[in-house]
Short mmCIF file of all heavy atoms in Angstrom, two decimals:
data_model
loop_
_atom_site.label_atom_id
_atom_site.label_comp_id
_atom_site.label_asym_id
_atom_site.label_seq_id
_atom_site.Cartn_x
_atom_site.Cartn_y
_atom_site.Cartn_z
N ALA A 96 -18.17 38.75 54.24
CA ALA A 96 -18.04 37.31 54.56
C ALA A 96 -16.94 37.02 55.60
O ALA A 96 -17.10 36.15 56.44
CB ALA A 96 -17.82 36.52 53.28
N ILE A 97 -15.85 37.75 55.47
CA ILE A 97 -14.71 37.47 56.36
C ILE A 97 -14.63 38.46 57.53
O ILE A 97 -13.74 38.36 58.33
CB ILE A 97 -13.41 37.39 55.64
CG1 ILE A 97 -13.05 38.69 54.90
CG2 ILE A 97 -13.39 36.26 54.62
CD1 ILE A 97 -11.70 38.74 54.23
N GLY A 98 -15.55 39.41 57.55
CA GLY A 98 -15.55 40.36 58.66
C GLY A 98 -14.63 41.53 58.62
O GLY A 98 -14.46 42.28 59.56
N HIS A 99 -14.01 41.79 57.45
CA HIS A 99 -13.15 42.92 57.29
C HIS A 99 -13.91 44.04 56.58
O HIS A 99 -14.63 43.81 55.63
CB HIS A 99 -11.92 42.56 56.43
CG HIS A 99 -11.01 41.60 57.13
ND1 HIS A 99 -10.17 41.95 58.12
CD2 HIS A 99 -10.81 40.27 56.90
CE1 HIS A 99 -9.51 40.87 58.52
NE2 HIS A 99 -9.88 39.82 57.79
N ARG A 100 -13.66 45.23 57.06
CA ARG A 100 -14.36 46.41 56.42
C ARG A 100 -13.34 47.31 55.70
O ARG A 100 -13.71 48.30 55.14
CB ARG A 100 -15.07 47.21 57.47
CG ARG A 100 -16.20 46.48 58.16
CD ARG A 100 -17.33 46.28 57.14
NE ARG A 100 -18.38 45.43 57.73
CZ ARG A 100 -19.13 44.68 56.97
NH1 ARG A 100 -19.00 44.62 55.71
NH2 ARG A 100 -20.07 43.95 57.57
N MET A 101 -12.05 46.98 55.77
CA MET A 101 -11.03 47.77 55.21
C MET A 101 -10.46 47.09 53.95
O MET A 101 -10.17 45.90 53.99
CB MET A 101 -9.90 47.97 56.22
CG MET A 101 -8.80 48.92 55.82
SD MET A 101 -7.47 49.03 57.04
CE MET A 101 -8.32 49.37 58.55
N SER A 102 -10.28 47.86 52.88
CA SER A 102 -9.67 47.28 51.69
C SER A 102 -8.17 47.08 51.92
O SER A 102 -7.58 47.63 52.82
CB SER A 102 -9.88 48.20 50.48
OG SER A 102 -9.11 49.32 50.58
N PHE A 103 -7.52 46.30 51.04
CA PHE A 103 -6.12 46.09 51.18
C PHE A 103 -5.29 47.41 50.97
O PHE A 103 -4.32 47.62 51.69
CB PHE A 103 -5.65 45.02 50.14
CG PHE A 103 -4.24 44.59 50.28
CD1 PHE A 103 -3.78 43.96 51.38
CD2 PHE A 103 -3.32 44.92 49.27
CE1 PHE A 103 -2.47 43.57 51.54
CE2 PHE A 103 -2.03 44.53 49.43
CZ PHE A 103 -1.57 43.84 50.49
N GLN A 104 -5.78 48.23 50.03
CA GLN A 104 -5.11 49.52 49.83
C GLN A 104 -5.20 50.39 51.08
O GLN A 104 -4.21 51.07 51.46
CB GLN A 104 -5.69 50.25 48.63
CG GLN A 104 -5.29 49.72 47.28
CD GLN A 104 -6.00 48.38 46.95
OE1 GLN A 104 -7.04 48.08 47.51
NE2 GLN A 104 -5.44 47.63 46.02
N ASP A 105 -6.38 50.39 51.71
CA ASP A 105 -6.52 51.16 52.99
C ASP A 105 -5.61 50.61 54.06
O ASP A 105 -4.99 51.35 54.83
CB ASP A 105 -7.98 51.13 53.48
CG ASP A 105 -8.91 51.87 52.52
OD1 ASP A 105 -8.42 52.75 51.77
OD2 ASP A 105 -10.13 51.57 52.56
N TYR A 106 -5.51 49.29 54.12
CA TYR A 106 -4.61 48.69 55.09
C TYR A 106 -3.18 49.09 54.90
O TYR A 106 -2.46 49.46 55.81
CB TYR A 106 -4.76 47.16 55.05
CG TYR A 106 -3.77 46.43 55.91
CD1 TYR A 106 -4.03 46.29 57.27
CD2 TYR A 106 -2.63 45.89 55.40
CE1 TYR A 106 -3.11 45.66 58.10
CE2 TYR A 106 -1.72 45.25 56.20
CZ TYR A 106 -1.96 45.12 57.57
OH TYR A 106 -1.06 44.48 58.35
N LEU A 107 -2.73 49.09 53.61
CA LEU A 107 -1.35 49.50 53.32
C LEU A 107 -1.13 50.93 53.69
O LEU A 107 -0.03 51.33 54.13
CB LEU A 107 -1.04 49.26 51.87
CG LEU A 107 -0.88 47.76 51.45
CD1 LEU A 107 -0.61 47.67 49.97
CD2 LEU A 107 0.23 47.11 52.23
N GLN A 108 -2.09 51.83 53.44
CA GLN A 108 -1.99 53.25 53.78
C GLN A 108 -1.78 53.43 55.29
O GLN A 108 -1.07 54.36 55.70
CB GLN A 108 -3.17 54.02 53.28
CG GLN A 108 -3.27 54.15 51.81
CD GLN A 108 -2.12 54.93 51.21
OE1 GLN A 108 -1.62 55.87 51.80
NE2 GLN A 108 -1.71 54.50 50.07
N LYS A 109 -2.37 52.58 56.12
CA LYS A 109 -2.28 52.75 57.57
C LYS A 109 -1.14 51.96 58.17
O LYS A 109 -0.81 52.14 59.36
CB LYS A 109 -3.59 52.28 58.20
CG LYS A 109 -4.72 53.20 57.82
CD LYS A 109 -6.03 52.82 58.51
CE LYS A 109 -7.12 53.79 58.08
NZ LYS A 109 -8.32 53.60 58.83
N ASP A 110 -0.51 51.07 57.40
CA ASP A 110 0.59 50.25 57.91
C ASP A 110 1.88 51.07 57.86
O ASP A 110 2.46 51.34 56.81
CB ASP A 110 0.74 48.99 57.07
CG ASP A 110 1.82 48.05 57.58
OD1 ASP A 110 2.36 48.31 58.64
OD2 ASP A 110 2.07 47.05 56.88
N MET A 111 2.38 51.47 59.06
CA MET A 111 3.54 52.34 59.14
C MET A 111 4.80 51.65 58.69
O MET A 111 5.69 52.28 58.08
CB MET A 111 3.71 52.87 60.58
CG MET A 111 2.56 53.80 61.01
SD MET A 111 2.17 55.07 59.78
CE MET A 111 3.61 56.10 59.88
N ASP A 112 4.92 50.36 58.98
CA ASP A 112 6.12 49.60 58.51
C ASP A 112 6.19 49.62 56.98
O ASP A 112 7.28 49.82 56.40
CB ASP A 112 6.08 48.18 59.02
CG ASP A 112 6.33 48.06 60.53
OD1 ASP A 112 6.98 49.00 61.06
OD2 ASP A 112 5.85 47.09 61.10
N TYR A 113 5.08 49.40 56.37
CA TYR A 113 5.02 49.44 54.89
C TYR A 113 5.34 50.82 54.36
O TYR A 113 6.15 50.96 53.44
CB TYR A 113 3.64 48.98 54.37
CG TYR A 113 3.51 49.14 52.86
CD1 TYR A 113 4.09 48.22 52.01
CD2 TYR A 113 2.82 50.18 52.31
CE1 TYR A 113 3.96 48.33 50.67
CE2 TYR A 113 2.67 50.33 50.96
CZ TYR A 113 3.24 49.41 50.13
OH TYR A 113 3.12 49.56 48.76
N GLN A 114 4.76 51.84 54.97
CA GLN A 114 5.00 53.23 54.48
C GLN A 114 6.45 53.60 54.69
O GLN A 114 7.06 54.24 53.80
CB GLN A 114 4.11 54.17 55.28
CG GLN A 114 2.67 54.08 54.92
CD GLN A 114 2.34 54.37 53.50
OE1 GLN A 114 2.97 55.24 52.88
NE2 GLN A 114 1.43 53.59 52.94
N ASN A 115 7.09 53.21 55.77
CA ASN A 115 8.50 53.52 55.98
C ASN A 115 9.36 52.77 54.99
O ASN A 115 10.34 53.39 54.42
CB ASN A 115 8.94 53.11 57.41
CG ASN A 115 8.32 54.07 58.47
OD1 ASN A 115 7.99 55.19 58.13
ND2 ASN A 115 8.20 53.59 59.66
N ALA A 116 9.07 51.48 54.70
CA ALA A 116 9.84 50.76 53.72
C ALA A 116 9.68 51.36 52.31
O ALA A 116 10.60 51.42 51.51
CB ALA A 116 9.39 49.28 53.71
N LEU A 117 8.47 51.79 52.04
CA LEU A 117 8.19 52.40 50.73
C LEU A 117 8.96 53.69 50.55
O LEU A 117 9.59 53.97 49.52
CB LEU A 117 6.69 52.65 50.57
CG LEU A 117 6.22 53.18 49.25
CD1 LEU A 117 6.49 52.21 48.11
CD2 LEU A 117 4.70 53.51 49.28
N ARG A 118 8.97 54.55 51.60
CA ARG A 118 9.73 55.81 51.56
C ARG A 118 11.22 55.53 51.43
O ARG A 118 11.90 56.18 50.64
CB ARG A 118 9.48 56.60 52.83
CG ARG A 118 8.28 57.55 52.70
CD ARG A 118 8.24 58.53 53.88
NE ARG A 118 6.86 58.44 54.41
CZ ARG A 118 6.52 57.78 55.54
NH1 ARG A 118 7.40 57.24 56.27
NH2 ARG A 118 5.28 57.69 55.89
N LYS A 119 11.70 54.53 52.15
CA LYS A 119 13.13 54.24 52.08
C LYS A 119 13.53 53.68 50.69
O LYS A 119 14.57 54.06 50.17
CB LYS A 119 13.44 53.13 53.14
CG LYS A 119 14.91 52.82 53.26
CD LYS A 119 15.14 51.83 54.40
CE LYS A 119 16.60 51.49 54.50
NZ LYS A 119 16.86 50.51 55.56
N ALA A 120 12.63 52.92 50.10
CA ALA A 120 12.97 52.36 48.73
C ALA A 120 12.90 53.43 47.70
O ALA A 120 13.63 53.35 46.69
CB ALA A 120 11.98 51.26 48.45
N THR A 121 12.03 54.41 47.82
CA THR A 121 11.87 55.39 46.79
C THR A 121 12.71 56.67 47.04
O THR A 121 12.79 57.56 46.19
CB THR A 121 10.38 55.81 46.61
OG1 THR A 121 9.89 56.28 47.86
CG2 THR A 121 9.58 54.64 46.16
#
Side-chain angles (χ1 to χ4, degrees):
I97 61 175
H99 294 284
R100 297 289 174 208
M101 185 183 309
S102 72
F103 186 66
Q104 284 76 18
D105 292 338
Y106 175 79
L107 289 178
Q108 290 296 325
K109 293 182 180 188
D110 184 5
M111 295 311 293
D112 290 335
Y113 173 77
Q114 291 299 322
N115 289 335
L117 185 62
R118 271 191 232 103
K119 186 176 179 181
T121 58

